[in-house]
């Protein structure tokens, strides 16, 4: 984050304590919870684990051999059982579990009994296709109830799922399938996004040309018969045909606490995505307690997390956390501005949503579109708001507070990561007074610290590296097939301490202020991308000799992507080449990675050892004075680039 933004954050003095009324009814409202968890965090997490139903109780809470943790050892449980079966045995049987709305219209409500039936049937379908405990299943679907059914069915039979966001390209899908060696792919003929069709099955077919581990493809018919998705006989099977004959009962597989629940790929600082592993007992404990306490979730609430299930937010806070709590969850398939910019508010009004969890990038877009859109709707049902994915600027926080929350709803700014599994730094809304732009305090039982390069705590109001000093139940158990990279990325900077890759400061009240990534990861609209991933996509184009990609400040997206590109001889640097390069990145990775700006250059600033100095490129792109250039091999390069850049705004 730019220094000016950091200064602005530190000058933020507004404080919003919870109202007496909110406090009184909150699921947790006694600040002692923090002390209790700090005094004996193992006992604290063991109490949290009691929120789940276990087939067999654990005998040991934690075994910690850094970087590997085992939680609730000896315990047996099933995530799907906790999300579905245990509710069906109670009055929640006929409670709405999912309220779905499609982008072009159409709505469906599935009760917990409906979910129970569909999940068991689909679990039997998977078994009939030869899926056994431990086999990986890849899911590439739009946001429809069937994606939740598919995930839960995998969890039921102990087959780890790997959900790939529907916006990813065929190539990105193939990479993920191959890394996981998935046996079955579950997809749909397509989905809807901003009025257009997303041709998921066609992308999947493209991917499958290079993904030989897939034996069977299950295709849900979302678009209908007119669309005519191509089907390969013997390999591709229709969801509805398989389900028509599927037996109704499938017992949940008793899983060991440490059995793999899922893989989820995320970007790191190299080009290759990492398969983050989450296991069953610890992960389910983390997401269940955080959902209940952070969102102050009550049985009568309607809860809406606007993420896609393709990201960890969807895994933890659309599927596993809320359903383990027996919540009623809204899911919406499409874009916030389709058919108009009030779509979210129309949904809040229509289903009387009480809890809304969204991203700062969305809030900034709403802010830009104007308050007339939320004003058209009755938002009085809302009682709590959340944000996640990137730092929220105080202006956006205030706008959310006033125009969406009507000044009465607490805002929980939740910091966490794919790797952390569950929310780590957040207000507990019945206890902690909030400050716009701060994620406030660690969740009880979580121990973050801010360190300098030498590993010393930095002290109040000083920036440093955010780390977590003790293990926690929902932490990732590693990277699929790459233990070395796991150690290298998270555990090598400091001995036995988890390195988050984020910068942070803590103020004199002990509040954390997140300052963005300190590595080569960029955060575009709350989505993680690695600069190297985008660079590899660019150099894959025949015209490109070399490319350097950086994240630059972007008013709506938080960060945008700027690329400095050296082209090969024989190619002409012009607008149409820029467009072709942008399109190439979209085809290689997906639309989220489309560069905002491309700058042609004859040279890149490098150190004498040949490393590109991205810091200087960022200075150039954001119009700052150049930082230290003494380590450059040729300082003239950066000066020339700066002059050229200043005359070349896109
Ligand atoms: O930089 C932090 C940012 O998002 C990164 C994690 O990205 P991902 O694994 O895709 O998970 C996103 C959803 C949990 C973090 O390293 N981040 C996430 N939440 C916040 C945040 N930065 C500041 N404030 C947040 N509340």
């Amino acid at each position: 984050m730019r220094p000016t933004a950091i200064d602005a954050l530190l000058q933020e003095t507004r404080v919003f304590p919870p109202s007496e009324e909110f406090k009184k009814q909150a699921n947790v409202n006694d600040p002692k919870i923090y002390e209790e968890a700090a005094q004996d965090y193992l006992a604290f997490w063991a109490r949290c684990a009691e929120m789940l139903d276990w087939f067999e109780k654990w005998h040991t809470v934690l075994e910690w051999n850094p970087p590997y943790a085992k939680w609730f050892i000896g315990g047996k449980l099933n995530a799907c059982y906790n999300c579905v079966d245990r509710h069906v045995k109670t009055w929640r049987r006929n409670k709405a579990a999912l309220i779905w709305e499609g982008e072009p219209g159409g709505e469906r409500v599935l009760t917990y009994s409906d979910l129970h039936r569909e999940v068991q049937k689909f679990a039997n379908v998977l078994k009939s296709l030869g899926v056994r405990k431990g086999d990986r299943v890849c899911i590439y679907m739009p946001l429809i109830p069937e994606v939740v059914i598919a995930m839960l069915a995998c969890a039921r039979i102990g087959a780890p799922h790997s959900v790939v966001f529907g916006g990813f390209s065929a190539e990105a899908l193939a990479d993920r399938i191959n890394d996981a060696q998935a046996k079955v792919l579950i997809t749909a003929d397509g989905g809807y996004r901003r009025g257009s069709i997303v041709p998921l099955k066609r992308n999947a077919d493209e991917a499958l040309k290079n993904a030989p581990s897939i034996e069977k493809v299950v295709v849900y018919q979302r678009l209908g018969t007119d669309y005519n998705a191509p089907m390969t006989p013997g390999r591709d099977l229709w969801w509805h045909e398989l389900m028509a004959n599927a037996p109704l009962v499938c017992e949940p597989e008793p899983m060991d606490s440490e059995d793999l629940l899922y893989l989820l790929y995320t970007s790191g600082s190299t080009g290759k995505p990492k398969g983050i592993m989450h296991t069953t007992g610890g992960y389910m404990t983390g997401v269940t307690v955080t959902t209940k306490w952070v969102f102050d979730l009550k049985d009568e609430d309607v809860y809406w997390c606007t993420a896609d299930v393709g990201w960890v937010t969807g895994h933890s806070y659309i599927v596993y956390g809320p359903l383990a709590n027996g919540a009623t969850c809204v899911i919406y398939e499409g874009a916030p501005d389709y058919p108009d910019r009030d779509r979210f508010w129309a949904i809040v009004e229509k289903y009387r949503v009480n809890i809304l969890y969204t991203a700062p990038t969305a809030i900034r877009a709403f802010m830009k579109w104007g308050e007339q859109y939320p004003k058209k709707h009755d938002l009085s049902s809302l009682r709590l708001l959340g944000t996640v994915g990137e730092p929220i600027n105080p202006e956006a926080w205030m706008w959310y507070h006033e125009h969406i929350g009507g000044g009465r709803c607490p805002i929980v700014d939740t910091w966490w990561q794919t790797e952390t599994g569950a929310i780590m730094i957040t207000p507990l809304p019945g206890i902690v007074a909030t400050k716009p732009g701060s994620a406030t305090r660690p969740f009880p039982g979580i121990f973050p610290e801010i360190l300098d390069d030498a590993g010393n705590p930095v002290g109040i109001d000083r920036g440093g590296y955010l780390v977590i000093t003790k293990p926690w139940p929902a932490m990732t158990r590693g990277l699929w097939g790459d233990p070395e990279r796991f150690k290298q990325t998270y555990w090598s900077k400091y001995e036995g301490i988890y390195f988050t890759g984020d910068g942070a400061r803590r103020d004199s009240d002990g509040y954390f202020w997140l300052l963005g990534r300190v590595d080569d990861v960029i955060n575009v609209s709350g989505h993680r991308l690695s600069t190297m991933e985008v660079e590899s996509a660019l150099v894959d184009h025949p015209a490109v000799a070399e490319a350097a990609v950086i994240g630059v400040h972007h008013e709506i997206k938080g960060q945008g992507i700027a690329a400095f590109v050296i082209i090969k001889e024989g190619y002409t640097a012009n607008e149409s080449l820029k467009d072709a390069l942008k399109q190439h990145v979209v085809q290689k990775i997906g639309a989220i990675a489309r560069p905002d700006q491309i700058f042609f250059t004859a040279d890149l600033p490098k150190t004498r050892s040949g490393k590109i100095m991205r810091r200087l490129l960022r200075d150039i792109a954001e119009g700052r004075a150049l930082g230290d250039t003494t380590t450059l091999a040729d300082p003239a390069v950066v000066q020339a680039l700066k002059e050229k850049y200043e005359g070349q705004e896109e």
Side-chain angles (χ1 to χ4, degrees), residues 266 312-313 388-391 413-419 500 502 514 517 523 526 528:
T266 186
V312 74
T313 306
V388 61
E390 48 177 320
D413 173 3
T414 62
W415 177 88
W416 57 296
Q417 307 177 301
T418 309
E419 294 85 341
T500 63
D502 276 22
L514 277 303
R517 300 291 304 194
N523 192 329
R528 247 163 96 167

Side-chain angles (χ1 to χ4, degrees), residues 551-600:
V552 289
H553 178 72
H554 187 285
E555 200 192 337
I556 304 286
K557 301 198 239 179
Q559 282 192 306
I561 300 175
F564 291 82
V565 172
I566 303 176
I567 54 171
K568 289 183 190 155
E569 263 179 55
Y571 289 91
T572 319
N574 57 21
E575 287 306 309
S576 74
L577 182 58
K578 279 187 187 173
D579 290 342
L581 295 182
K582 288 179 185 175
Q583 199 40 43
H584 192 70
V585 175
V586 172
Q587 194 203 322
K588 297 288 290 182
I589 305 174
I592 50 167
R594 181 196 303 273
D596 295 273
Q597 297 162 303
I598 289 185
F599 296 95
F600 294 119

Side-chain angles (χ1 to χ4, degrees), residues 16-34 292-298 383-384 409-412 426-434 440-441 443 511:
F16 296 84
S19 68
E20 279 312 311
E21 196 190 344
F22 190 93
K23 222 189 240 178
K24 234 185 284 154
Q25 62 80 58
N27 286 344
V28 274
N29 49 20
D30 187 346
K32 270 206 217 103
I33 193 88
Y34 286 102
K292 191 170 172 99
W293 291 4
V294 174
F295 300 112
D296 193 46
L297 183 69
K298 307 288 193 324
R383 66 178 194 87
L384 183 130
C409 303
I411 296 182
V412 290
T426 176
L428 286 177
I431 301 176
V432 177
T434 53
T440 79
R441 299 181 61 172
F443 190 83
Y511 279 37

Side-chain angles (χ1 to χ4, degrees), residues 37-256:
Q39 273 159 17
D40 188 346
Y41 79 115
L42 296 185
F44 168 78
W45 284 118
R47 280 199 300 280
C48 295
E50 304 274 5
M51 290 181 173
L52 299 171
D53 282 12
W54 297 77
F55 300 139
E56 261 176 60
K57 211 181 152 177
W58 61 90
H59 52 73
T60 307
V61 177
L62 170 69
E63 197 183 282
W64 178 220
N65 296 310
Y68 295 106
K70 288 185 181 167
W71 282 87
F72 311 117
I73 301 163
K76 299 261 185 287
L77 76 167
N78 182 285
C80 177
Y81 180 94
N82 274 281
C83 290
V84 183
D85 302 47
R86 64 168 173 165
H87 305 310
V88 173
K89 296 180 178 167
T90 70
W91 65 269
R92 291 196 190 99
R93 189 162 64 94
N94 291 323
K95 178 180 174 177
L98 300 176
I99 301 177
W100 172 82
E101 182 158 305
E103 193 189 75
E107 68 185 60
R108 286 164 62 195
V109 177
L110 273 80
T111 64
Y112 276 94
S113 317
D114 293 333
L115 205 51
H116 192 221
R117 183 185 61 249
E118 297 299 304
V119 165
Q120 291 191 83
K121 285 173 68 183
F122 196 66
N124 281 325
V125 166
L126 290 174
K127 281 186 171 172
S128 74
L129 300 178
V131 179
R132 301 282 169 263
K133 184 177 171 182
D135 290 342
R136 278 80 58 209
V137 172
C138 182
I139 301 178
Y140 182 63
M141 291 181 95
L143 190 44
I144 52 177
E146 282 67 25
V147 71
V148 181
I149 293 168
M151 289 166 76
L152 292 170
C154 288
R156 192 170 191 86
I157 62 172
H161 52 71
S162 162
V163 182
V164 177
F165 172 54
F168 273 124
S169 66
E171 210 164 304
L173 174 62
D175 286 348
R176 287 156 176 76
I177 291 173
N178 289 333
D179 191 81
Q181 287 292 294
K183 195 167 178 180
V184 166
L185 172 68
I186 307 167
T187 186
D189 48 359
Y192 295 94
R193 180 82 191 173
R194 207 159 277 130
S196 309
I197 281 175
V198 185
L200 293 169
K201 179 62 170 60
R202 284 173 205 274
N203 292 349
D205 282 345
E206 203 48 43
L208 290 174
K209 288 183 190 158
N210 301 309
S213 64
I214 295 290
E215 294 167 11
K216 297 284 176 201
V217 181
V218 181
V219 187
Y220 182 79
Q221 200 170 63
R222 162 81 184 111
L223 301 179
T225 42
D226 291 349
Y227 180 71
N228 267 330
M231 297 289 276
T232 302
R235 185 194 70 184
D236 301 352
L237 304 151
W238 287 110
W239 173 295
H240 57 271
E241 288 177 5
L242 294 166
M243 286 292 265
N245 302 315
L248 280 172
V249 178
C250 171
E251 291 302 327
E253 184 75 29
M255 302 293 282
D256 189 89

